Amino acid sequence: MKLERFAKGKLPANFFLTRGAGQMVQLKPITQLLNIKGSCIAGESTVLGVGKLAGFSPITDNKMTGNIDTNIDLKARLALEEIVDNDIVYVHVKAPDVKGHDNEPFEKVKSIELFDRMVGLIHDQLPENVYILIAADHSTPCEVGEHTGEPVPILIYGPGIRIDRNNKYNELDCAYGGLGRIKGFEFVTTLHDLMGKVKKQGN
C-alpha cells in the first residue's frame, strides 16, 4: 500500500482505521445448532459476512448495490429460488438505512416503497407452507442521521399464524399489533419455534 501511494506522489499510510473492530470469538453456526440450511441474499459485505458466520450461504451480485439502485427484482427471484433447497432465506435491503444516515427523507420513502414491492414479489409466488418475517435491526431517523433505539415494526405471516386487527406495517400501527414489543432474539426464536426447531419448555 505504501509503495502504491509513493508511486502516486502521496504520503505513506501509517495506520489503519477499522469500523466496529473487536476480538473474534468461536461461534458455532446456528445452522449447525438447529440442523438447518440457510442462505443470505445481500449486497453489503458486512451482512454477507455475518451470514457466513451463522452458516448461511452468501448470495450476491454486482446488481445488488446496498443502495436505492439495488435490483429488487433480482433479490426477489433469488429468494424464491433459494427457498426451494433451504430452510431459511434471509433477504437484506440496506437502502432505508443509507437514506436515513444521509438525511434524505424522500429518498428513504422511495427505498421503503422498493422494499414493499420486493416483499410483494416474493409473497405472490411463495409456497403456502413458507413463513414471511419482516423486521429492521434498528431505526435510522433522517433528523438524527444515526442509529437510534426506538422499537422497529415486525411482522410474522404464514400458515397457522393468528391474525390480529392490524393491516399496516409501520412503527405506529405495529405498536398495537398482536406481537406486542419483543426483543430481537425472541423474534428469531419465534421463527425457529414455527420451524419446530426449539426445545419445548415446561409441561
Side-chain angles (χ1 to χ4, degrees), residues 3-57:
L3 293 175
E4 289 178 13
R5 292 183 64 83
F6 274 130
K8 295 176 183 177
K10 296 180 179 179
L11 293 173
N14 57 11
F15 70 93
F16 287 99
L17 179 63
T18 60
R19 181 184 185 272
Q23 189 171 7
M24 182 64 185
V25 295
Q26 292 298 318
L27 298 172
K28 189 167 185 180
I30 192 72
T31 52
Q32 289 182 24
L33 290 171
L34 298 181
N35 191 27
I36 59 176
K37 186 179 176 187
S39 63
C40 173
I41 300 170
E44 189 193 27
S45 56
T46 307
V47 174
L48 292 165
V50 171
K52 285 181 74 173
L53 285 172
F56 285 43
S57 300

Short mmCIF file of all heavy atoms in Angstrom, two decimals, residues 3-57:
data_model
loop_
_atom_site.label_atom_id
_atom_site.label_comp_id
_atom_site.label_asym_id
_atom_site.label_seq_id
_atom_site.Cartn_x
_atom_site.Cartn_y
_atom_site.Cartn_z
N LEU A 3 3.87 1.56 -1.19
CA LEU A 3 4.51 1.69 -2.49
C LEU A 3 3.55 2.29 -3.52
O LEU A 3 3.94 3.12 -4.34
CB LEU A 3 5.02 0.33 -2.97
CG LEU A 3 6.17 -0.27 -2.15
CD1 LEU A 3 6.50 -1.68 -2.65
CD2 LEU A 3 7.40 0.63 -2.22
N GLU A 4 2.28 1.87 -3.45
CA GLU A 4 1.28 2.41 -4.36
C GLU A 4 1.09 3.91 -4.12
O GLU A 4 0.98 4.69 -5.06
CB GLU A 4 -0.06 1.69 -4.18
CG GLU A 4 -0.05 0.26 -4.70
CD GLU A 4 -1.39 -0.43 -4.45
OE1 GLU A 4 -2.37 0.28 -4.12
OE2 GLU A 4 -1.46 -1.66 -4.59
N ARG A 5 1.05 4.29 -2.86
CA ARG A 5 0.87 5.72 -2.54
C ARG A 5 2.10 6.52 -2.98
O ARG A 5 1.97 7.63 -3.50
CB ARG A 5 0.59 5.89 -1.05
CG ARG A 5 -0.76 5.33 -0.63
CD ARG A 5 -1.04 5.58 0.85
NE ARG A 5 -1.14 7.00 1.14
CZ ARG A 5 -2.23 7.74 0.97
NH1 ARG A 5 -3.33 7.18 0.48
NH2 ARG A 5 -2.24 9.03 1.27
N PHE A 6 3.28 5.98 -2.74
CA PHE A 6 4.51 6.66 -3.17
C PHE A 6 4.50 6.87 -4.69
O PHE A 6 4.87 7.94 -5.19
CB PHE A 6 5.75 5.85 -2.78
CG PHE A 6 6.22 6.14 -1.38
CD1 PHE A 6 6.48 5.10 -0.50
CD2 PHE A 6 6.44 7.44 -0.94
CE1 PHE A 6 6.92 5.35 0.80
CE2 PHE A 6 6.88 7.71 0.35
CZ PHE A 6 7.12 6.66 1.23
N ALA A 7 4.07 5.84 -5.43
CA ALA A 7 4.06 5.92 -6.88
C ALA A 7 3.12 7.02 -7.39
O ALA A 7 3.33 7.59 -8.46
CB ALA A 7 3.65 4.57 -7.47
N LYS A 8 2.10 7.32 -6.58
CA LYS A 8 1.14 8.37 -6.96
C LYS A 8 1.51 9.72 -6.38
O LYS A 8 0.74 10.68 -6.49
CB LYS A 8 -0.27 7.96 -6.49
CG LYS A 8 -0.81 6.73 -7.19
CD LYS A 8 -2.16 6.34 -6.62
CE LYS A 8 -2.67 5.07 -7.27
NZ LYS A 8 -3.94 4.63 -6.68
N GLY A 9 2.67 9.79 -5.70
CA GLY A 9 3.11 11.05 -5.11
C GLY A 9 2.38 11.43 -3.84
O GLY A 9 2.36 12.60 -3.45
N LYS A 10 1.77 10.42 -3.17
CA LYS A 10 1.03 10.68 -1.94
C LYS A 10 1.87 10.32 -0.73
O LYS A 10 2.85 9.57 -0.83
CB LYS A 10 -0.27 9.86 -1.92
CG LYS A 10 -1.25 10.24 -3.02
CD LYS A 10 -2.50 9.38 -2.93
CE LYS A 10 -3.51 9.74 -4.00
NZ LYS A 10 -4.72 8.91 -3.94
N LEU A 11 1.48 10.83 0.44
CA LEU A 11 2.15 10.49 1.69
C LEU A 11 1.87 9.02 2.03
O LEU A 11 0.81 8.49 1.68
CB LEU A 11 1.66 11.38 2.82
CG LEU A 11 2.02 12.86 2.72
CD1 LEU A 11 1.32 13.66 3.81
CD2 LEU A 11 3.52 13.07 2.80
N PRO A 12 2.81 8.35 2.71
CA PRO A 12 2.58 6.95 3.07
C PRO A 12 1.50 6.81 4.14
O PRO A 12 1.35 7.69 4.98
CB PRO A 12 3.95 6.49 3.60
CG PRO A 12 4.57 7.75 4.11
CD PRO A 12 4.11 8.83 3.19
N ALA A 13 0.78 5.71 4.08
CA ALA A 13 -0.20 5.41 5.14
C ALA A 13 0.57 4.93 6.36
O ALA A 13 1.53 4.19 6.25
CB ALA A 13 -1.16 4.32 4.65
N ASN A 14 0.16 5.38 7.54
CA ASN A 14 0.87 4.95 8.75
C ASN A 14 -0.06 4.35 9.81
O ASN A 14 0.34 4.10 10.94
CB ASN A 14 1.68 6.10 9.36
CG ASN A 14 0.81 7.32 9.66
OD1 ASN A 14 -0.41 7.24 9.61
ND2 ASN A 14 1.46 8.42 9.97
N PHE A 15 -1.36 4.15 9.47
CA PHE A 15 -2.25 3.43 10.37
C PHE A 15 -3.48 2.96 9.61
O PHE A 15 -3.76 3.45 8.51
CB PHE A 15 -2.67 4.31 11.56
CG PHE A 15 -3.61 5.43 11.21
CD1 PHE A 15 -4.99 5.27 11.29
CD2 PHE A 15 -3.11 6.66 10.79
CE1 PHE A 15 -5.85 6.30 10.97
CE2 PHE A 15 -3.97 7.70 10.46
CZ PHE A 15 -5.35 7.51 10.55
N PHE A 16 -4.20 1.99 10.19
CA PHE A 16 -5.46 1.52 9.64
C PHE A 16 -6.57 1.91 10.60
O PHE A 16 -6.42 1.73 11.81
CB PHE A 16 -5.47 -0.01 9.48
CG PHE A 16 -4.62 -0.50 8.34
CD1 PHE A 16 -3.34 -0.99 8.58
CD2 PHE A 16 -5.10 -0.47 7.04
CE1 PHE A 16 -2.56 -1.45 7.54
CE2 PHE A 16 -4.32 -0.92 6.00
CZ PHE A 16 -3.05 -1.41 6.25
N LEU A 17 -7.66 2.42 10.09
CA LEU A 17 -8.83 2.75 10.89
C LEU A 17 -9.92 1.74 10.55
O LEU A 17 -10.36 1.66 9.40
CB LEU A 17 -9.30 4.18 10.60
CG LEU A 17 -10.54 4.64 11.37
CD1 LEU A 17 -10.26 4.66 12.87
CD2 LEU A 17 -10.97 6.03 10.89
N THR A 18 -10.33 0.97 11.53
CA THR A 18 -11.36 -0.05 11.29
C THR A 18 -12.69 0.39 11.89
O THR A 18 -12.72 1.20 12.82
CB THR A 18 -10.96 -1.41 11.91
OG1 THR A 18 -10.78 -1.24 13.31
CG2 THR A 18 -9.67 -1.91 11.29
N ARG A 19 -13.76 -0.14 11.36
CA ARG A 19 -15.10 0.18 11.88
C ARG A 19 -15.60 -0.99 12.70
O ARG A 19 -15.67 -2.11 12.22
CB ARG A 19 -16.06 0.42 10.71
CG ARG A 19 -17.47 0.78 11.15
CD ARG A 19 -18.40 0.92 9.95
NE ARG A 19 -19.72 1.36 10.33
CZ ARG A 19 -20.70 0.54 10.70
NH1 ARG A 19 -20.49 -0.77 10.74
NH2 ARG A 19 -21.89 1.01 11.01
N GLY A 20 -15.95 -0.71 13.95
CA GLY A 20 -16.52 -1.75 14.80
C GLY A 20 -15.56 -2.90 15.07
O GLY A 20 -15.96 -4.05 15.11
N ALA A 21 -14.28 -2.58 15.24
CA ALA A 21 -13.29 -3.63 15.46
C ALA A 21 -13.55 -4.35 16.79
O ALA A 21 -14.04 -3.76 17.75
CB ALA A 21 -11.89 -3.02 15.46
N GLY A 22 -13.25 -5.61 16.82
CA GLY A 22 -13.43 -6.39 18.04
C GLY A 22 -12.55 -7.62 17.99
O GLY A 22 -11.71 -7.76 17.10
N GLN A 23 -12.73 -8.47 18.94
CA GLN A 23 -11.94 -9.70 19.01
C GLN A 23 -12.80 -10.87 18.56
O GLN A 23 -13.94 -11.03 19.00
CB GLN A 23 -11.45 -9.93 20.45
CG GLN A 23 -10.46 -11.06 20.57
CD GLN A 23 -9.84 -11.11 21.96
OE1 GLN A 23 -10.25 -10.39 22.85
NE2 GLN A 23 -8.87 -11.97 22.14
N MET A 24 -12.26 -11.66 17.66
CA MET A 24 -13.00 -12.79 17.11
C MET A 24 -13.24 -13.84 18.18
O MET A 24 -12.35 -14.17 18.96
CB MET A 24 -12.21 -13.40 15.94
CG MET A 24 -12.91 -14.55 15.27
SD MET A 24 -14.44 -14.02 14.49
CE MET A 24 -15.09 -15.56 13.92
N VAL A 25 -14.46 -14.33 18.24
CA VAL A 25 -14.80 -15.41 19.17
C VAL A 25 -15.19 -16.64 18.36
O VAL A 25 -15.55 -16.54 17.19
CB VAL A 25 -15.97 -15.00 20.10
CG1 VAL A 25 -15.56 -13.86 21.00
CG2 VAL A 25 -17.20 -14.62 19.29
N GLN A 26 -15.12 -17.78 18.99
CA GLN A 26 -15.51 -19.02 18.33
C GLN A 26 -17.02 -19.19 18.43
O GLN A 26 -17.57 -19.29 19.52
CB GLN A 26 -14.79 -20.21 18.97
CG GLN A 26 -13.30 -20.23 18.73
CD GLN A 26 -12.95 -20.35 17.25
OE1 GLN A 26 -13.56 -21.11 16.51
NE2 GLN A 26 -11.98 -19.56 16.81
N LEU A 27 -17.67 -19.17 17.31
CA LEU A 27 -19.12 -19.32 17.27
C LEU A 27 -19.50 -20.60 16.55
O LEU A 27 -18.92 -20.93 15.52
CB LEU A 27 -19.76 -18.15 16.52
CG LEU A 27 -19.58 -16.74 17.10
CD1 LEU A 27 -20.10 -15.71 16.12
CD2 LEU A 27 -20.29 -16.62 18.43
N LYS A 28 -20.45 -21.31 17.11
CA LYS A 28 -20.99 -22.47 16.40
C LYS A 28 -22.16 -21.96 15.56
O LYS A 28 -23.11 -21.38 16.10
CB LYS A 28 -21.45 -23.55 17.36
CG LYS A 28 -21.82 -24.85 16.65
CD LYS A 28 -21.97 -26.01 17.60
CE LYS A 28 -22.22 -27.29 16.82
NZ LYS A 28 -22.39 -28.45 17.72
N PRO A 29 -22.11 -22.11 14.25
CA PRO A 29 -23.17 -21.58 13.39
C PRO A 29 -24.55 -22.09 13.79
O PRO A 29 -24.71 -23.26 14.16
CB PRO A 29 -22.78 -22.08 12.00
CG PRO A 29 -21.31 -22.31 12.07
CD PRO A 29 -21.05 -22.77 13.47
N ILE A 30 -25.54 -21.21 13.72
CA ILE A 30 -26.91 -21.57 14.08
C ILE A 30 -27.42 -22.69 13.17
O ILE A 30 -28.25 -23.51 13.58
CB ILE A 30 -27.85 -20.34 14.01
CG1 ILE A 30 -29.20 -20.63 14.66
CG2 ILE A 30 -28.03 -19.84 12.58
CD1 ILE A 30 -29.18 -20.74 16.13
N THR A 31 -26.89 -22.75 11.95
CA THR A 31 -27.31 -23.83 11.05
C THR A 31 -26.89 -25.20 11.59
O THR A 31 -27.60 -26.18 11.39
CB THR A 31 -26.70 -23.62 9.65
OG1 THR A 31 -25.28 -23.42 9.79
CG2 THR A 31 -27.32 -22.42 8.96
N GLN A 32 -25.75 -25.24 12.28
CA GLN A 32 -25.31 -26.50 12.90
C GLN A 32 -26.10 -26.78 14.18
O GLN A 32 -26.49 -27.92 14.44
CB GLN A 32 -23.81 -26.44 13.22
CG GLN A 32 -22.92 -26.50 12.00
CD GLN A 32 -21.45 -26.49 12.38
OE1 GLN A 32 -21.08 -26.88 13.48
NE2 GLN A 32 -20.61 -26.04 11.46
N LEU A 33 -26.32 -25.75 14.98
CA LEU A 33 -27.03 -25.93 16.24
C LEU A 33 -28.45 -26.45 16.04
O LEU A 33 -28.94 -27.26 16.81
CB LEU A 33 -27.08 -24.61 17.02
CG LEU A 33 -25.75 -24.11 17.60
CD1 LEU A 33 -25.90 -22.70 18.14
CD2 LEU A 33 -25.27 -25.05 18.70
N LEU A 34 -29.11 -25.96 14.97
CA LEU A 34 -30.50 -26.34 14.74
C LEU A 34 -30.66 -27.36 13.62
O LEU A 34 -31.79 -27.76 13.31
CB LEU A 34 -31.33 -25.09 14.40
CG LEU A 34 -31.42 -24.02 15.49
CD1 LEU A 34 -32.28 -22.86 15.02
CD2 LEU A 34 -31.95 -24.59 16.79
N ASN A 35 -29.54 -27.75 12.99
CA ASN A 35 -29.57 -28.68 11.87
C ASN A 35 -30.49 -28.17 10.76
O ASN A 35 -31.44 -28.84 10.34
CB ASN A 35 -30.02 -30.07 12.34
CG ASN A 35 -29.80 -31.13 11.27
OD1 ASN A 35 -28.92 -31.00 10.42
ND2 ASN A 35 -30.63 -32.17 11.29
N ILE A 36 -30.19 -26.95 10.31
CA ILE A 36 -30.96 -26.34 9.25
C ILE A 36 -30.01 -25.86 8.15
O ILE A 36 -28.79 -25.83 8.34
CB ILE A 36 -31.81 -25.15 9.74
CG1 ILE A 36 -30.91 -24.07 10.39
CG2 ILE A 36 -32.90 -25.61 10.69
CD1 ILE A 36 -31.63 -22.83 10.82
N LYS A 37 -30.58 -25.46 7.03
CA LYS A 37 -29.80 -24.94 5.92
C LYS A 37 -30.35 -23.57 5.54
O LYS A 37 -31.58 -23.39 5.48
CB LYS A 37 -29.90 -25.90 4.73
CG LYS A 37 -29.01 -25.56 3.55
CD LYS A 37 -29.17 -26.58 2.45
CE LYS A 37 -28.35 -26.20 1.22
NZ LYS A 37 -28.61 -27.09 0.08
N GLY A 38 -29.45 -22.60 5.31
CA GLY A 38 -29.93 -21.26 5.01
C GLY A 38 -29.04 -20.54 4.02
O GLY A 38 -27.90 -20.92 3.77
N SER A 39 -29.58 -19.48 3.43
CA SER A 39 -28.80 -18.62 2.55
C SER A 39 -29.11 -17.17 2.88
O SER A 39 -30.16 -16.84 3.42
CB SER A 39 -29.10 -18.92 1.08
OG SER A 39 -30.44 -18.64 0.77
N CYS A 40 -28.15 -16.30 2.54
CA CYS A 40 -28.25 -14.87 2.84
C CYS A 40 -28.08 -14.10 1.53
O CYS A 40 -27.02 -14.18 0.90
CB CYS A 40 -27.19 -14.47 3.86
SG CYS A 40 -27.06 -12.71 4.17
N ILE A 41 -29.09 -13.34 1.13
CA ILE A 41 -29.07 -12.56 -0.10
C ILE A 41 -28.85 -11.10 0.27
O ILE A 41 -29.69 -10.49 0.94
CB ILE A 41 -30.39 -12.74 -0.88
CG1 ILE A 41 -30.59 -14.22 -1.23
CG2 ILE A 41 -30.40 -11.87 -2.12
CD1 ILE A 41 -31.95 -14.54 -1.78
N ALA A 42 -27.73 -10.53 -0.15
CA ALA A 42 -27.40 -9.16 0.23
C ALA A 42 -26.38 -8.56 -0.72
O ALA A 42 -25.67 -9.28 -1.42
CB ALA A 42 -26.87 -9.12 1.67
N GLY A 43 -26.29 -7.24 -0.70
CA GLY A 43 -25.29 -6.54 -1.49
C GLY A 43 -24.19 -5.94 -0.65
O GLY A 43 -23.26 -5.34 -1.17
N GLU A 44 -24.31 -6.07 0.67
CA GLU A 44 -23.34 -5.48 1.58
C GLU A 44 -22.48 -6.57 2.21
O GLU A 44 -22.99 -7.55 2.74
CB GLU A 44 -24.07 -4.69 2.68
CG GLU A 44 -23.13 -3.89 3.53
CD GLU A 44 -23.81 -3.37 4.79
OE1 GLU A 44 -24.77 -3.99 5.27
OE2 GLU A 44 -23.32 -2.37 5.31
N SER A 45 -21.16 -6.36 2.18
CA SER A 45 -20.23 -7.40 2.64
C SER A 45 -20.37 -7.69 4.13
O SER A 45 -20.17 -8.83 4.56
CB SER A 45 -18.79 -7.00 2.31
OG SER A 45 -18.47 -5.74 2.87
N THR A 46 -20.71 -6.68 4.94
CA THR A 46 -20.87 -6.92 6.39
C THR A 46 -21.98 -7.93 6.64
O THR A 46 -21.83 -8.87 7.43
CB THR A 46 -21.20 -5.61 7.12
OG1 THR A 46 -20.22 -4.63 6.79
CG2 THR A 46 -21.24 -5.81 8.62
N VAL A 47 -23.10 -7.75 5.96
CA VAL A 47 -24.24 -8.65 6.13
C VAL A 47 -23.90 -10.05 5.62
O VAL A 47 -24.22 -11.05 6.27
CB VAL A 47 -25.47 -8.09 5.39
CG1 VAL A 47 -26.64 -9.06 5.43
CG2 VAL A 47 -25.88 -6.76 5.98
N LEU A 48 -23.24 -10.12 4.49
CA LEU A 48 -22.84 -11.42 3.94
C LEU A 48 -21.87 -12.13 4.89
O LEU A 48 -21.95 -13.34 5.07
CB LEU A 48 -22.20 -11.23 2.57
CG LEU A 48 -23.15 -10.76 1.46
CD1 LEU A 48 -22.36 -10.27 0.25
CD2 LEU A 48 -24.12 -11.85 1.06
N GLY A 49 -20.98 -11.35 5.52
CA GLY A 49 -20.02 -11.93 6.47
C GLY A 49 -20.71 -12.48 7.70
O GLY A 49 -20.39 -13.59 8.17
N VAL A 50 -21.66 -11.74 8.25
CA VAL A 50 -22.41 -12.22 9.41
C VAL A 50 -23.21 -13.46 9.03
O VAL A 50 -23.30 -14.42 9.80
CB VAL A 50 -23.34 -11.11 9.96
CG1 VAL A 50 -24.28 -11.66 11.02
CG2 VAL A 50 -22.52 -9.96 10.53
N GLY A 51 -23.76 -13.45 7.82
CA GLY A 51 -24.48 -14.63 7.35
C GLY A 51 -23.58 -15.86 7.29
O GLY A 51 -23.99 -16.95 7.68
N LYS A 52 -22.37 -15.66 6.80
CA LYS A 52 -21.42 -16.79 6.74
C LYS A 52 -21.09 -17.30 8.14
O LYS A 52 -20.99 -18.51 8.36
CB LYS A 52 -20.14 -16.36 6.02
CG LYS A 52 -20.29 -16.25 4.52
CD LYS A 52 -19.00 -15.84 3.83
CE LYS A 52 -18.01 -16.98 3.81
NZ LYS A 52 -16.81 -16.67 3.00
N LEU A 53 -20.91 -16.38 9.11
CA LEU A 53 -20.65 -16.79 10.49
C LEU A 53 -21.80 -17.63 11.04
O LEU A 53 -21.60 -18.54 11.84
CB LEU A 53 -20.44 -15.57 11.39
CG LEU A 53 -19.10 -14.85 11.27
CD1 LEU A 53 -19.12 -13.56 12.08
CD2 LEU A 53 -17.95 -15.75 11.75
N ALA A 54 -23.02 -17.31 10.60
CA ALA A 54 -24.19 -18.06 11.05
C ALA A 54 -24.37 -19.37 10.31
O ALA A 54 -25.24 -20.16 10.64
CB ALA A 54 -25.45 -17.20 10.89
N GLY A 55 -23.55 -19.58 9.27
CA GLY A 55 -23.63 -20.82 8.50
C GLY A 55 -24.48 -20.71 7.25
O GLY A 55 -24.77 -21.71 6.60
N PHE A 56 -24.88 -19.48 6.91
CA PHE A 56 -25.71 -19.26 5.72
C PHE A 56 -24.83 -19.13 4.48
O PHE A 56 -23.75 -18.53 4.54
CB PHE A 56 -26.53 -17.98 5.87
CG PHE A 56 -27.70 -18.09 6.82
CD1 PHE A 56 -27.59 -18.73 8.05
CD2 PHE A 56 -28.93 -17.54 6.49
CE1 PHE A 56 -28.65 -18.82 8.92
CE2 PHE A 56 -30.00 -17.63 7.35
CZ PHE A 56 -29.87 -18.28 8.58
N SER A 57 -25.27 -19.65 3.37
CA SER A 57 -24.55 -19.49 2.11
C SER A 57 -24.75 -18.07 1.60
O SER A 57 -25.89 -17.62 1.45
CB SER A 57 -25.07 -20.49 1.06
OG SER A 57 -24.88 -21.81 1.51
#
